[in-house]
PDB file of all heavy atoms in Angstrom:
ATOM      1  N   LYS A  84     185.042   4.825 180.815  1.00  0.00           N
ATOM      2  CA  LYS A  84     186.216   4.179 181.401  1.00  0.00           C
ATOM      3  C   LYS A  84     185.900   2.744 181.790  1.00  0.00           C
ATOM      4  O   LYS A  84     186.722   1.839 181.580  1.00  0.00           O
ATOM      5  CB  LYS A  84     186.678   4.976 182.628  1.00  0.00           C
ATOM      6  CG  LYS A  84     187.932   4.431 183.274  1.00  0.00           C
ATOM      7  CD  LYS A  84     188.392   5.312 184.420  1.00  0.00           C
ATOM      8  CE  LYS A  84     189.656   4.739 185.069  1.00  0.00           C
ATOM      9  NZ  LYS A  84     190.141   5.608 186.186  1.00  0.00           N
ATOM     10  N   SER A  85     184.716   2.513 182.324  1.00  0.00           N
ATOM     11  CA  SER A  85     184.305   1.147 182.669  1.00  0.00           C
ATOM     12  C   SER A  85     184.151   0.297 181.416  1.00  0.00           C
ATOM     13  O   SER A  85     184.566  -0.875 181.403  1.00  0.00           O
ATOM     14  CB  SER A  85     182.985   1.183 183.451  1.00  0.00           C
ATOM     15  OG  SER A  85     183.109   1.956 184.632  1.00  0.00           O
ATOM     16  N   TYR A  86     183.576   0.865 180.374  1.00  0.00           N
ATOM     17  CA  TYR A  86     183.389   0.111 179.129  1.00  0.00           C
ATOM     18  C   TYR A  86     184.736  -0.297 178.527  1.00  0.00           C
ATOM     19  O   TYR A  86     184.928  -1.441 178.117  1.00  0.00           O
ATOM     20  CB  TYR A  86     182.600   0.964 178.133  1.00  0.00           C
ATOM     21  CG  TYR A  86     182.286   0.248 176.837  1.00  0.00           C
ATOM     22  CD1 TYR A  86     181.115  -0.483 176.696  1.00  0.00           C
ATOM     23  CD2 TYR A  86     183.162   0.294 175.756  1.00  0.00           C
ATOM     24  CE1 TYR A  86     180.823  -1.145 175.508  1.00  0.00           C
ATOM     25  CE2 TYR A  86     182.890  -0.366 174.577  1.00  0.00           C
ATOM     26  CZ  TYR A  86     181.710  -1.077 174.459  1.00  0.00           C
ATOM     27  OH  TYR A  86     181.434  -1.737 173.278  1.00  0.00           O
ATOM     28  N   LEU A  87     185.667   0.641 178.500  1.00  0.00           N
ATOM     29  CA  LEU A  87     186.983   0.334 177.944  1.00  0.00           C
ATOM     30  C   LEU A  87     187.778  -0.596 178.852  1.00  0.00           C
ATOM     31  O   LEU A  87     188.719  -1.247 178.403  1.00  0.00           O
ATOM     32  CB  LEU A  87     187.765   1.627 177.710  1.00  0.00           C
ATOM     33  CG  LEU A  87     187.192   2.553 176.634  1.00  0.00           C
ATOM     34  CD1 LEU A  87     188.008   3.840 176.550  1.00  0.00           C
ATOM     35  CD2 LEU A  87     187.163   1.865 175.290  1.00  0.00           C
ATOM     36  N   ASN A  88     187.395  -0.673 180.110  1.00  0.00           N
ATOM     37  CA  ASN A  88     188.032  -1.603 181.026  1.00  0.00           C
ATOM     38  C   ASN A  88     187.511  -3.024 180.858  1.00  0.00           C
ATOM     39  O   ASN A  88     188.088  -3.960 181.387  1.00  0.00           O
ATOM     40  CB  ASN A  88     187.808  -1.142 182.474  1.00  0.00           C
ATOM     41  CG  ASN A  88     188.677  -1.869 183.461  1.00  0.00           C
ATOM     42  OD1 ASN A  88     188.241  -2.801 184.114  1.00  0.00           O
ATOM     43  ND2 ASN A  88     189.932  -1.438 183.582  1.00  0.00           N
ATOM     44  N   GLY A  89     186.417  -3.165 180.095  1.00  0.00           N
ATOM     45  CA  GLY A  89     185.876  -4.494 179.836  1.00  0.00           C
ATOM     46  C   GLY A  89     184.519  -4.750 180.434  1.00  0.00           C
ATOM     47  O   GLY A  89     184.012  -5.870 180.354  1.00  0.00           O
ATOM     48  N   VAL A  90     183.887  -3.729 181.038  1.00  0.00           N
ATOM     49  CA  VAL A  90     182.579  -3.887 181.666  1.00  0.00           C
ATOM     50  C   VAL A  90     181.522  -3.281 180.759  1.00  0.00           C
ATOM     51  O   VAL A  90     181.605  -2.100 180.411  1.00  0.00           O
ATOM     52  CB  VAL A  90     182.536  -3.205 183.048  1.00  0.00           C
ATOM     53  CG1 VAL A  90     181.178  -3.412 183.699  1.00  0.00           C
ATOM     54  CG2 VAL A  90     183.636  -3.756 183.941  1.00  0.00           C
ATOM     55  N   LYS A  91     180.539  -4.077 180.398  1.00  0.00           N
ATOM     56  CA  LYS A  91     179.458  -3.590 179.541  1.00  0.00           C
ATOM     57  C   LYS A  91     178.341  -2.998 180.402  1.00  0.00           C
ATOM     58  O   LYS A  91     177.755  -3.690 181.224  1.00  0.00           O
ATOM     59  CB  LYS A  91     178.915  -4.725 178.677  1.00  0.00           C
ATOM     60  CG  LYS A  91     179.861  -5.174 177.579  1.00  0.00           C
ATOM     61  CD  LYS A  91     179.186  -6.189 176.676  1.00  0.00           C
ATOM     62  CE  LYS A  91     180.088  -6.587 175.523  1.00  0.00           C
ATOM     63  NZ  LYS A  91     179.454  -7.564 174.616  1.00  0.00           N
ATOM     64  N   ILE A  92     178.075  -1.718 180.191  1.00  0.00           N
ATOM     65  CA  ILE A  92     176.987  -1.040 180.889  1.00  0.00           C
ATOM     66  C   ILE A  92     175.851  -0.854 179.893  1.00  0.00           C
ATOM     67  O   ILE A  92     176.054  -0.268 178.829  1.00  0.00           O
ATOM     68  CB  ILE A  92     177.443   0.319 181.448  1.00  0.00           C
ATOM     69  CG1 ILE A  92     178.597   0.110 182.430  1.00  0.00           C
ATOM     70  CG2 ILE A  92     176.293   1.045 182.121  1.00  0.00           C
ATOM     71  CD1 ILE A  92     179.152   1.385 182.999  1.00  0.00           C
ATOM     72  N   PRO A  93     174.648  -1.339 180.190  1.00  0.00           N
ATOM     73  CA  PRO A  93     173.541  -1.270 179.220  1.00  0.00           C
ATOM     74  C   PRO A  93     173.255   0.159 178.783  1.00  0.00           C
ATOM     75  O   PRO A  93     173.123   1.069 179.598  1.00  0.00           O
ATOM     76  CB  PRO A  93     172.354  -1.864 179.995  1.00  0.00           C
ATOM     77  CG  PRO A  93     172.977  -2.723 181.045  1.00  0.00           C
ATOM     78  CD  PRO A  93     174.265  -2.047 181.423  1.00  0.00           C
ATOM     79  N   GLY A  94     173.175   0.358 177.477  1.00  0.00           N
ATOM     80  CA  GLY A  94     172.772   1.642 176.912  1.00  0.00           C
ATOM     81  C   GLY A  94     173.839   2.698 176.868  1.00  0.00           C
ATOM     82  O   GLY A  94     173.570   3.828 176.450  1.00  0.00           O
ATOM     83  N   ILE A  95     175.074   2.385 177.246  1.00  0.00           N
ATOM     84  CA  ILE A  95     176.091   3.429 177.378  1.00  0.00           C
ATOM     85  C   ILE A  95     176.517   3.972 176.027  1.00  0.00           C
ATOM     86  O   ILE A  95     176.923   5.133 175.907  1.00  0.00           O
ATOM     87  CB  ILE A  95     177.297   2.887 178.167  1.00  0.00           C
ATOM     88  CG1 ILE A  95     178.260   4.021 178.531  1.00  0.00           C
ATOM     89  CG2 ILE A  95     178.020   1.820 177.379  1.00  0.00           C
ATOM     90  CD1 ILE A  95     177.665   5.049 179.421  1.00  0.00           C
ATOM     91  N   VAL A  96     176.445   3.185 174.959  1.00  0.00           N
ATOM     92  CA  VAL A  96     176.889   3.656 173.642  1.00  0.00           C
ATOM     93  C   VAL A  96     175.745   3.574 172.630  1.00  0.00           C
ATOM     94  O   VAL A  96     175.974   3.356 171.444  1.00  0.00           O
ATOM     95  CB  VAL A  96     178.104   2.839 173.150  1.00  0.00           C
ATOM     96  CG1 VAL A  96     179.331   3.148 173.967  1.00  0.00           C
ATOM     97  CG2 VAL A  96     177.815   1.338 173.179  1.00  0.00           C
ATOM     98  N   ARG A  97     174.519   3.801 173.087  1.00  0.00           N
ATOM     99  CA  ARG A  97     173.378   3.759 172.185  1.00  0.00           C
ATOM    100  C   ARG A  97     173.107   5.123 171.584  1.00  0.00           C
ATOM    101  O   ARG A  97     173.468   6.169 172.150  1.00  0.00           O
ATOM    102  CB  ARG A  97     172.128   3.249 172.907  1.00  0.00           C
ATOM    103  CG  ARG A  97     172.211   1.791 173.316  1.00  0.00           C
ATOM    104  CD  ARG A  97     170.936   1.319 173.970  1.00  0.00           C
ATOM    105  NE  ARG A  97     169.784   1.454 173.087  1.00  0.00           N
ATOM    106  CZ  ARG A  97     168.553   1.077 173.425  1.00  0.00           C
ATOM    107  NH1 ARG A  97     168.324   0.559 174.626  1.00  0.00           N
ATOM    108  NH2 ARG A  97     167.562   1.225 172.575  1.00  0.00           N
ATOM    109  N   LEU A  98     172.442   5.129 170.444  1.00  0.00           N
ATOM    110  CA  LEU A  98     172.128   6.387 169.758  1.00  0.00           C
ATOM    111  C   LEU A  98     171.199   7.252 170.590  1.00  0.00           C
ATOM    112  O   LEU A  98     171.328   8.483 170.606  1.00  0.00           O
ATOM    113  CB  LEU A  98     171.506   6.083 168.385  1.00  0.00           C
ATOM    114  CG  LEU A  98     171.101   7.291 167.549  1.00  0.00           C
ATOM    115  CD1 LEU A  98     172.291   8.183 167.267  1.00  0.00           C
ATOM    116  CD2 LEU A  98     170.447   6.847 166.245  1.00  0.00           C
ATOM    117  N   ARG A  99     170.257   6.633 171.296  1.00  0.00           N
ATOM    118  CA  ARG A  99     169.347   7.413 172.131  1.00  0.00           C
ATOM    119  C   ARG A  99     170.101   8.131 173.240  1.00  0.00           C
ATOM    120  O   ARG A  99     169.781   9.265 173.610  1.00  0.00           O
ATOM    121  CB  ARG A  99     168.270   6.495 172.720  1.00  0.00           C
ATOM    122  CG  ARG A  99     167.179   7.249 173.476  1.00  0.00           C
ATOM    123  CD  ARG A  99     166.011   6.352 173.797  1.00  0.00           C
ATOM    124  NE  ARG A  99     166.371   5.326 174.768  1.00  0.00           N
ATOM    125  CZ  ARG A  99     165.510   4.436 175.253  1.00  0.00           C
ATOM    126  NH1 ARG A  99     164.257   4.441 174.830  1.00  0.00           N
ATOM    127  NH2 ARG A  99     165.906   3.537 176.134  1.00  0.00           N
ATOM    128  N   THR A 100     171.124   7.475 173.783  1.00  0.00           N
ATOM    129  CA  THR A 100     171.969   8.127 174.786  1.00  0.00           C
ATOM    130  C   THR A 100     172.684   9.324 174.188  1.00  0.00           C
ATOM    131  O   THR A 100     172.801  10.388 174.820  1.00  0.00           O
ATOM    132  CB  THR A 100     172.989   7.128 175.340  1.00  0.00           C
ATOM    133  OG1 THR A 100     172.309   5.985 175.863  1.00  0.00           O
ATOM    134  CG2 THR A 100     173.828   7.756 176.429  1.00  0.00           C
ATOM    135  N   PHE A 101     173.164   9.172 172.955  1.00  0.00           N
ATOM    136  CA  PHE A 101     173.850  10.274 172.281  1.00  0.00           C
ATOM    137  C   PHE A 101     172.924  11.475 172.100  1.00  0.00           C
ATOM    138  O   PHE A 101     173.306  12.625 172.376  1.00  0.00           O
ATOM    139  CB  PHE A 101     174.358   9.790 170.925  1.00  0.00           C
ATOM    140  CG  PHE A 101     174.954  10.862 170.067  1.00  0.00           C
ATOM    141  CD1 PHE A 101     176.268  11.253 170.225  1.00  0.00           C
ATOM    142  CD2 PHE A 101     174.197  11.493 169.089  1.00  0.00           C
ATOM    143  CE1 PHE A 101     176.818  12.242 169.436  1.00  0.00           C
ATOM    144  CE2 PHE A 101     174.727  12.477 168.296  1.00  0.00           C
ATOM    145  CZ  PHE A 101     176.052  12.856 168.464  1.00  0.00           C
ATOM    146  N   LEU A 102     171.703  11.226 171.656  1.00  0.00           N
ATOM    147  CA  LEU A 102     170.763  12.331 171.415  1.00  0.00           C
ATOM    148  C   LEU A 102     170.392  13.031 172.717  1.00  0.00           C
ATOM    149  O   LEU A 102     170.361  14.270 172.783  1.00  0.00           O
ATOM    150  CB  LEU A 102     169.511  11.799 170.713  1.00  0.00           C
ATOM    151  CG  LEU A 102     169.731  11.186 169.317  1.00  0.00           C
ATOM    152  CD1 LEU A 102     168.427  10.603 168.779  1.00  0.00           C
ATOM    153  CD2 LEU A 102     170.293  12.219 168.356  1.00  0.00           C
TER     154      LEU A 102
END
Side-chain angles (χ1 to χ4, degrees):
K84 183 176 180 179
S85 302
Y86 183 90
L87 294 177
N88 193 261
V90 181
K91 289 186 177 181
I92 300 178
I95 190 63
V96 290
R97 292 182 60 178
L98 179 59
R99 187 169 68 178
T100 304
F101 174 83
L102 297 176

